[in-house]
Amino acid sequence: MTMTPEQSDLIGRLRRVLAEEAVREVAMFGGRSFMVDERIAVSALKSGGLLVRVDADRHEELLDRPGAAQAEMGAGRTMGPGWIEVDAAKITEDAGLSMWVDVALKYNRAVTGTRG
């Protein structure tokens, strides 16, 4: 997988944010996905944006946050509720990135039954 500089930077930042978690990295969705308890939590996209797995019940609420959009698997093919893409410009600050990672981990823990 050839990485863009933006993606490489985001991967490094995600590794730091997720340092306390048992994480496995996998190439998928055209990016580098971070699996926690064998379920995708987030993925660093080639654009430097972030794909986030969230609770489908919170999907619409989370789409209202700045830079959040319905994730697509190719042009015009949405990934459905529970998948959000966050624009790279909205996660340049560590607080913004950490907020989205926290949302993903909260959902991950709810579906896996683990504690953080």
Side-chain angles (χ1 to χ4, degrees):
M1 174 177 101
T2 304
M3 284 188 246
T4 64
E6 297 83 3
Q7 184 181 35
S8 182
D9 177 63
L10 180 56
I11 289 168
R13 292 175 64 215
L14 285 168
R15 285 176 180 154
R16 287 188 294 277
V17 170
L18 292 165
E20 302 291 317
E21 301 293 327
V23 174
R24 182 171 64 94
E25 295 182 31
V26 179
M28 76 170 63
F29 299 125
R32 172 68 59 170
S33 295
F34 290 76
M35 310 289 284
V36 178
D37 292 313
E38 296 306 310
R39 293 185 185 253
I40 184 172
V42 294
S43 185
L45 303 174
K46 287 191 181 289
S47 65
L50 186 69
L51 178 66
V52 186
R53 183 71 171 127
V54 303
D55 185 338
D57 291 340
R58 294 192 62 204
H59 186 88
E60 293 301 319
E61 163 206 342
L62 293 167
L63 279 178
D64 287 338
R65 296 194 180 184
Q70 173 63 58
E72 293 187 352
M73 178 86 72
R77 291 182 36 215
T78 66
M79 293 179 71
W83 295 99
I84 292 178
E85 186 172 331
V86 182
D87 186 87
K90 298 301 179 185
I91 54 171
T92 57
E93 301 293 323
D94 286 344
L97 179 61
S98 291
M99 186 280 303
W100 282 107
V101 170
D102 288 346
V103 168
L105 290 176
K106 182 177 181 182
Y107 176 69
N108 181 281
R109 289 178 181 123
V111 297
T112 62
T114 60
R115 294 171 114 129

